[in-house]
Amino acid sequence: MTHAHDETAPVDWAERASERLALAGYRRGGARHNLIRLLAAQRCALSAAELQEALAHEQRSVSRASVYRILEELERAELVARIEVGQGIVRFEPIRHGAGHHHHLVCDHCGRLIPFSDEGLERELERVSERVPLVVAEHDVILRGECAACSEHA
Amino acid sequence: MTHAHDETAPVDWAERASERLALAGYRRGGARHNLIRLLAAQRCALSAAELQEALAHEQRSVSRASVYRILEELERAELVARIEVGQGIVRFEPIRHGAGHHHHLVCDHCGRLIPFSDEGLERELERVSERVPLVVAEHDVILRGECAACSEHA
DNA sequence: CAATTGATGAGACAAGGTCTTATATTTGTG
DNA sequence: CACAAATATAAGACCTTGTCTCATCAATTG
Ligand SMILES: [Zn+2]
Ligand SMILES: [Zn+2]
Ligand SMILES: [Zn+2]
Ligand SMILES: [Zn+2]
């Protein structure tokens, strides 16, 4: 079934992230703690700059170096996905269990990012991944076009 | 059928591109002409920097501003696709008719970019595009993993 | 608490991409 | 074939994003 996501985000991601990083031998520092908390509250992706600004605004400021370093740790631990939506913009979002796996619609006009998921598509991607000269670790799908709002007042 | 691309690239793309730009009211300048010629000779994607260097080396140098401006024109005319493969690298490639349509495998380790195509996947993407709250103009699929060369000497 | 080791912040740095502006080309017209 | 008008281009300043280094700070350990 194809559907846009309307459910609220699960909240246990923060715990899972902290645990897994602890197991990987990381200490718990303030910057990391706050960034994880912020990410856990997101349902879809934010850019590094947006994350840093949100931190400074809502909790306490964290240096750019820390933001990128922690995102990289999280990415390596497969807790965060890096999403490139075009125009050189890179966004990051928490990876949730099977249920939360999704792909993205991007409006070429206003830049809006809309998550969606589809089981048939996933099956097809798995099938293709088997037939390809690469050991596939992950996949990205982006559908680009014009969103409802933009088509209207065009 | 899933397969890596082995055929040689079609060559009529340059004509099509020139025509369409002319129709859109653009004059024919040297920089544009050369960039189109270079792109037409490619089977897969190159970065802006690679394009500029190839131009300087093989034909005549073209300024960075021109490379980006022309790529943007071509992109708007749906003659060129922008492909973001990760690590902030953006590449550009000519869009060809049905036959040349393809997606990409990216090696997370060495960065190699391998084109592939699959009819079943295309059908599935079309199906999904109908069911989504966006008028879909194009789609991208990227499979990431480790290429044969990198898995070997790991 | 002291020592050790990892975490963080600040800013220098690099690369990729955008914007401005002066100059060069193209195109239409007399 | 000039010439004027309009577009295309080159060069480089500039901005944004992301990386790297290093000095400082905080968590852990005994
Ligand atoms: Zn998302
Ligand atoms: Zn929109
Ligand atoms: Zn390609
Ligand atoms: Zn490789």
Side-chain angles (χ1 to χ4, degrees):
Chain A
M1 189 227 336
T2 305
H3 60 94
H5 286 217
D6 305 305
E7 325 88 47
T8 30
V11 282
D12 55 322
W13 181 86
E15 288 174 38
R16 197 159 54 92
S18 300
E19 273 174 37
R20 205 180 300 181
L21 286 186
L23 279 176
Y26 292 107
R27 295 179 177 178
R28 58 205 165 92
R32 179 177 298 137
H33 175 74
N34 282 285
L35 179 49
I36 287 179
R37 219 170 62 169
L38 175 61
L39 281 168
Q42 307 305 320
R43 203 185 323 156
C44 198
L46 293 181
S47 72
E50 286 167 344
L51 288 168
Q52 191 183 4
E53 196 178 353
L55 281 170
H57 197 324
E58 296 170 23
Q59 336 221 332
R60 94 203 227 301
S61 61
V62 168
S63 74
R64 193 162 29 150
S66 296
V67 170
Y68 281 106
R69 180 172 31 72
I70 295 165
L71 283 172
E72 199 192 316
E73 292 166 7
L74 289 167
E75 203 186 343
R76 269 205 302 263
E78 300 194 352
L79 287 160
V80 153
R82 151 191 300 252
I83 296 168
E84 321 220 355
V85 297
Q87 283 75 48
I89 301 168
V90 180
R91 291 180 211 263
F92 301 84
E93 72 178 7
I95 296 177
R96 308 195 193 272
H97 299 105
H101 178 77
H102 63 266
H103 296 291
H104 296 91
L105 313 173
V106 180
C107 177
D108 279 333
H109 195 255
C110 69
R112 198 149 80 97
L113 186 68
I114 306 167
F116 79 94
S117 60
D118 184 280
E119 287 177 26
L121 179 58
E122 293 305 324
R123 276 195 298 272
E124 189 66 13
L125 286 166
E126 273 163 41
R127 186 186 65 78
V128 170
S129 296
E130 295 300 315
R131 300 192 174 197
V132 119
L134 191 86
V135 182
V136 176
E138 53 177 332
H139 58 242
D140 285 333
V141 176
I142 294 184
L143 305 182
R144 284 192 178 56
E146 211 169 43
C147 74
C150 289
S151 321
E152 262 176 39
H153 62 75
Chain B
M1 189 227 336
T2 306
H3 60 96
H5 286 219
D6 303 304
E7 326 88 46
T8 32
V11 282
D12 56 323
W13 181 86
E15 288 175 36
R16 196 158 57 90
S18 299
E19 273 175 36
R20 205 180 299 181
L21 285 187
L23 278 177
Y26 291 107
R27 293 180 176 177
R28 56 205 166 94
R32 181 178 296 136
H33 174 74
N34 282 284
L35 179 49
I36 286 178
R37 220 171 61 171
L38 175 62
L39 280 169
Q42 307 304 320
R43 203 186 321 158
C44 197
L46 293 180
S47 70
E50 286 166 344
L51 288 168
Q52 190 182 5
E53 196 179 353
L55 281 170
H57 197 325
E58 294 170 24
Q59 337 222 333
R60 95 203 226 302
S61 60
V62 168
S63 74
R64 188 158 37 146
S66 295
V67 170
Y68 281 107
R69 180 174 32 74
I70 296 165
L71 283 173
E72 198 191 318
E73 292 167 6
L74 289 167
E75 203 187 342
R76 269 204 302 263
E78 301 193 353
L79 287 160
V80 153
R82 152 193 298 255
I83 296 168
E84 319 220 0
V85 297
Q87 283 74 49
I89 301 167
V90 180
R91 292 179 210 264
F92 301 85
E93 73 179 4
I95 296 178
R96 310 199 193 267
H97 301 102
H101 178 76
H102 63 266
H103 295 291
H104 296 93
L105 313 174
V106 179
C107 177
D108 279 333
H109 195 254
C110 69
R112 198 148 80 96
L113 185 66
I114 306 167
F116 79 94
S117 60
D118 184 281
E119 288 177 24
L121 178 58
E122 293 304 324
R123 276 195 299 273
E124 189 67 15
L125 286 166
E126 274 163 38
R127 185 185 67 76
V128 171
S129 296
E130 295 300 316
R131 301 190 174 198
V132 119
L134 191 86
V135 181
V136 176
E138 54 177 332
H139 57 242
D140 285 332
V141 176
I142 293 184
L143 306 183
R144 285 176 217 287
E146 211 169 45
C147 75
C150 289
S151 322
E152 261 176 42
H153 62 78

mmCIF file of all heavy atoms in Angstrom, chain B residues 44-45 93 102 104, ligand 3:
data_model
loop_
_atom_site.group_PDB
_atom_site.id
_atom_site.type_symbol
_atom_site.label_atom_id
_atom_site.label_comp_id
_atom_site.label_asym_id
_atom_site.label_seq_id
_atom_site.Cartn_x
_atom_site.Cartn_y
_atom_site.Cartn_z
ATOM 1 N N CYS B 44 27.547 8.278 -19.089
ATOM 2 C CA CYS B 44 27.017 8.442 -17.734
ATOM 3 C C CYS B 44 27.470 9.789 -17.201
ATOM 4 O O CYS B 44 27.901 10.651 -17.945
ATOM 5 C CB CYS B 44 27.419 7.253 -16.861
ATOM 6 S SG CYS B 44 26.459 7.083 -15.343
ATOM 7 N N ALA B 45 27.330 9.986 -15.912
ATOM 8 C CA ALA B 45 27.406 11.332 -15.356
ATOM 9 C C ALA B 45 28.813 11.810 -15.002
ATOM 10 O O ALA B 45 29.661 11.033 -14.570
ATOM 11 C CB ALA B 45 26.533 11.385 -14.114
ATOM 12 N N GLU B 93 24.250 14.314 -16.334
ATOM 13 C CA GLU B 93 24.322 13.449 -17.502
ATOM 14 C C GLU B 93 23.166 13.737 -18.437
ATOM 15 O O GLU B 93 22.093 14.154 -18.009
ATOM 16 C CB GLU B 93 24.333 11.975 -17.100
ATOM 17 C CG GLU B 93 23.001 11.482 -16.607
ATOM 18 C CD GLU B 93 23.045 9.997 -16.249
ATOM 19 O OE1 GLU B 93 24.117 9.388 -16.311
ATOM 20 O OE2 GLU B 93 21.984 9.459 -15.920
ATOM 21 N N HIS B 102 18.252 5.182 -17.183
ATOM 22 C CA HIS B 102 18.901 4.249 -16.256
ATOM 23 C C HIS B 102 19.007 4.851 -14.862
ATOM 24 O O HIS B 102 18.737 6.020 -14.659
ATOM 25 C CB HIS B 102 20.290 3.877 -16.775
ATOM 26 C CG HIS B 102 21.237 5.033 -16.873
ATOM 27 N ND1 HIS B 102 21.416 5.753 -18.026
ATOM 28 C CD2 HIS B 102 22.033 5.608 -15.947
ATOM 29 C CE1 HIS B 102 22.302 6.709 -17.824
ATOM 30 N NE2 HIS B 102 22.684 6.658 -16.568
ATOM 31 N N HIS B 104 21.410 4.309 -10.885
ATOM 32 C CA HIS B 104 22.832 4.241 -10.542
ATOM 33 C C HIS B 104 23.142 3.401 -9.315
ATOM 34 O O HIS B 104 22.420 3.420 -8.326
ATOM 35 C CB HIS B 104 23.380 5.651 -10.352
ATOM 36 C CG HIS B 104 23.343 6.459 -11.614
ATOM 37 N ND1 HIS B 104 22.295 7.268 -11.936
ATOM 38 C CD2 HIS B 104 24.193 6.527 -12.669
ATOM 39 C CE1 HIS B 104 22.495 7.822 -13.129
ATOM 40 N NE2 HIS B 104 23.641 7.383 -13.595
HETATM 41 ZN ZN ZN E 3 24.232 7.588 -15.496
#
